[in-house]
Amino acid sequence: MTGELEAQIDRWRSYVQRHQAISPTDIDELEDHLREQIADRKATGLDDDEAFLVAIKRLGNLDAVSHEFAREHSDRLWKQLVLVPENAGESAPPWRELAVVLLFALGAGAAVKAGTTLVSDENALARNIGLFVFPFVAGYFAWKRRLTARVAAALIVPFVILAVVLNVYPYATGGSTELLTVLHVPVILWLLGGVAYVGGRWRSDRRRMDFVRFTGELGIYFTLLALGGAVLIGLTFAALDMVGADFEPVMEHWILPFAVPGALVVAAWLVEAKQNVVENIAPVLTRVFTPLTILMLLSLLLVLATSGGLTSIDRDLLILMDAILILVLGLLLYSISARDSLAPAGLFDALQLILVAAALAVDALMLGAMLARIAEFGFSPNKIAALGLNLLLLIHLIRSGWLTLGFLRGRQAFPALEQWQTRYLPVYGAWAVVVVVVFPLVFNFA
Amino acid sequence: MRIDKDLVAASATPLVLGILTEGDLHGYAILKRVGELSDGGMQWTDGMLYPLLHRLERLGYVSSSWGTSDAGRRRKHYAITDEGRETLAERQQQWAVVADALRQVWQTTQQAAQGPRMAGGLA
């Protein structure tokens, strides 16, 4: 092939590379196709230029092809959607979205500030705090995704019902159903937020997986913002302390109520706007933390197994272990969402299987301890809530482990594992609804 | 004769799977085979074949591997899996039903078209 033709192919390559939905290996594949088509055309008597033009023409409109690739690889589409807004063009100035985000962030802060000022009962505040922040995070996505009236209704109606339930139920002071409600409301709000995030397409497995990815990313950005904020506050504290001014009231009454909810909204926007940056970190993070978490689970198992009978495991430890299992599940979900679903099974998938197995062992141990406690002390709202959660986790983990095993042995495709995760997610929401709505009624708000 | 776009799209999956049962191929060779089989009647937009192949791979109907071409370039080869064969068998049955229904409908329309003439001949 001549130099001119090579240069043309090079230019074509760099042009295709701008399409985010087409990965470098896809371009290799297309280039191989292009070169073969050119060679065949030249064999029929065309010159380099003509052959190149015919081959390019037959490859089709690149935007349409890229769109097809994006539909197939929605993880890539995800990048593309955000960086090139749907009606691309310079119509909306870049500062407009920032202004909207800052307004929503301020709104969330103002709502929390108003809530903390107006609601004097601390328990009522704890029940409602999520309700103050949620409209602003969901509102940002409603604005960004231009939600239809139906989807908006699907968000507002459950939100209003939840708000009514939380404030009409006559919770007994210091009762455990109230504490359980406070713990489970965020799960409901999180899944509702997911409906806003996916723009109403909650039936799509791909969009659900995008939401899982979003959640992981949101956690990372929020942590980064919190760390930065903590450094600033610490330095300000130290400096003001030197001159003898007391910073604490300002901090408690103004900075925290505005900064924490505001940071959540800003983090959501950052995930939307800057996905590429973190996307490269996500697989690294999961690869670092999966082996470490396995070590943690194994040492916990060892300690629990050698510390004596199941009934000796006390209540606080059970709650702590639940938190750990939920964290492990989060890590599992996040690493599945960060993985290229077409890559062949490898060492990391084996590690993931070990992680699932270790979590399963811990969960089984927890279930044993819980049943022992229930046999000894009888039922209570706390125990049933914990038992239910552990059963849900058990089912989730067993099936995940089974599918991972199948994938490692080449009997299952990876997407089966992805689908299991995304289809199971709403179950947690349903359980949280049961705990929040049904438990207080059944247990007399105790 | 050019085949309608929707018909091409609907037949793409069974066609690709069927071609792959003849042996492992890379994308360009699959397209060439489609051209041969339909005497050039089925014109695909070349670029659209690859997202389709990737979808079939995600669904587990085909598997892929990277090799090298005679010219020493990286080349991706596709092979049908057992699941793909099962799907193909299913699709074949579906298409057989469709083709059979169409054939019957065309026979009756032909008879209807010929009927009056034959009746006139007899009279």
Side-chain angles (χ1 to χ4, degrees), chain A residues 6-56:
Chain A
E6 284 301 315
Q8 272 182 324
I9 293 178
D10 270 354
R11 276 200 295 278
W12 170 82
R13 255 196 95 98
S14 60
Y15 177 64
V16 181
Q17 267 162 3
R18 281 186 236 150
H19 294 256
Q20 301 233 2
I22 307 179
S23 75
T25 52
D26 296 340
I27 301 179
D28 284 348
E29 200 177 14
L30 288 173
E31 184 184 335
D32 179 43
H33 183 106
L34 191 75
R35 285 177 184 274
E36 225 176 332
Q37 182 79 267
I38 291 173
D40 274 6
R41 293 300 127 189
K42 280 169 67 176
T44 63
L46 297 186
D47 68 26
D48 281 359
D49 268 356
E50 291 164 339
F52 179 76
L53 283 176
V54 170
I56 289 288

Side-chain angles (χ1 to χ4, degrees), chain A residues 1 25-26 28-33 35-37 40-41 55 58-61 64-65 68-69 71-73 76 206 341-342 413 415, chain B residues 26-29 31-32 43-60 66 69 73-76 78 83:
Chain A
M1 294 217 181
T25 52
D26 296 340
D28 284 348
E29 200 177 14
L30 288 173
E31 184 184 335
D32 179 43
H33 183 106
R35 285 177 184 274
E36 225 176 332
Q37 182 79 267
D40 274 6
R41 293 300 127 189
R58 295 210 46 170
L59 213 47
N61 177 328
V65 172
E68 265 315 287
F69 268 107
R71 264 178 42 161
E72 176 47 28
H73 302 275
R76 300 180 196 155
R206 299 294 191 84
S341 54
L342 288 184
Chain B
H26 62 287
Y28 187 73
L31 275 185
K32 262 173 101 168
Q43 288 283 359
W44 287 12
T45 309
D46 290 9
M48 294 298 187
L49 172 69
Y50 295 95
L52 172 70
L53 283 169
H54 295 185
R55 173 153 58 243
L56 295 180
E57 187 177 2
R58 174 169 60 82
L59 295 170
W66 283 95
S69 68
R73 283 196 305 269
R74 258 157 68 76
R75 173 168 288 173
K76 202 173 180 184
Y78 293 88
E83 215 179 324

Side-chain angles (χ1 to χ4, degrees), chain B residues 8-105:
Chain B
V8 172
S11 57
T13 298
L15 197 56
V16 167
L17 290 179
I19 288 171
L20 285 176
T21 52
E22 298 168 4
D24 303 357
L25 288 174
H26 62 287
Y28 187 73
I30 295 174
L31 275 185
K32 262 173 101 168
R33 190 84 186 99
V34 171
E36 283 166 24
L37 288 169
S38 65
D39 277 331
M42 294 182 72
Q43 288 283 359
W44 287 12
T45 309
D46 290 9
M48 294 298 187
L49 172 69
Y50 295 95
L52 172 70
L53 283 169
H54 295 185
R55 173 153 58 243
L56 295 180
E57 187 177 2
R58 174 169 60 82
L59 295 170
Y61 301 162
V62 304
S63 61
S64 72
S65 56
W66 283 95
T68 36
S69 68
D70 299 336
R73 283 196 305 269
R74 258 157 68 76
R75 173 168 288 173
K76 202 173 180 184
H77 291 272
Y78 293 88
I80 190 166
T81 61
D82 290 340
E83 215 179 324
R85 280 176 217 279
E86 283 167 26
T87 309
L88 179 61
E90 250 170 56
R91 295 286 174 98
Q92 268 172 341
Q93 286 168 355
Q94 292 173 7
W95 277 91
V97 172
V98 172
D100 191 46
L102 285 173
R103 197 171 49 242
Q104 289 182 42
V105 144

Side-chain angles (χ1 to χ4, degrees), chain A residues 130-131 133-135 137-138 141 155 158-159 162 182-198 202 207-219 264 268 326 329-331 333-334 337 389 396 421-422 424-430 432-433 436:
Chain A
L131 299 179
V133 182
F134 176 79
V137 179
F141 285 116
L155 286 174
F159 179 78
L162 186 65
V182 170
L183 288 175
H184 286 79
V185 163
V187 178
I188 302 176
L189 289 177
W190 173 66
L191 284 175
L192 263 186
V195 172
Y197 177 82
V198 301
W202 58 76
R207 299 297 289 145
R208 284 187 194 179
M209 208 36 138
D210 287 344
F211 177 59
V212 169
R213 223 169 266 142
F214 164 80
T215 307
E217 245 78 310
L218 182 74
L264 193 67
I326 290 172
L329 199 71
L331 181 67
L333 269 171
Y334 191 52
S337 79
L389 177 64
H396 194 159
Q421 313 299 329
T422 52
Y424 199 71
L425 277 185
V427 176
Y428 291 103
V433 169
V436 169

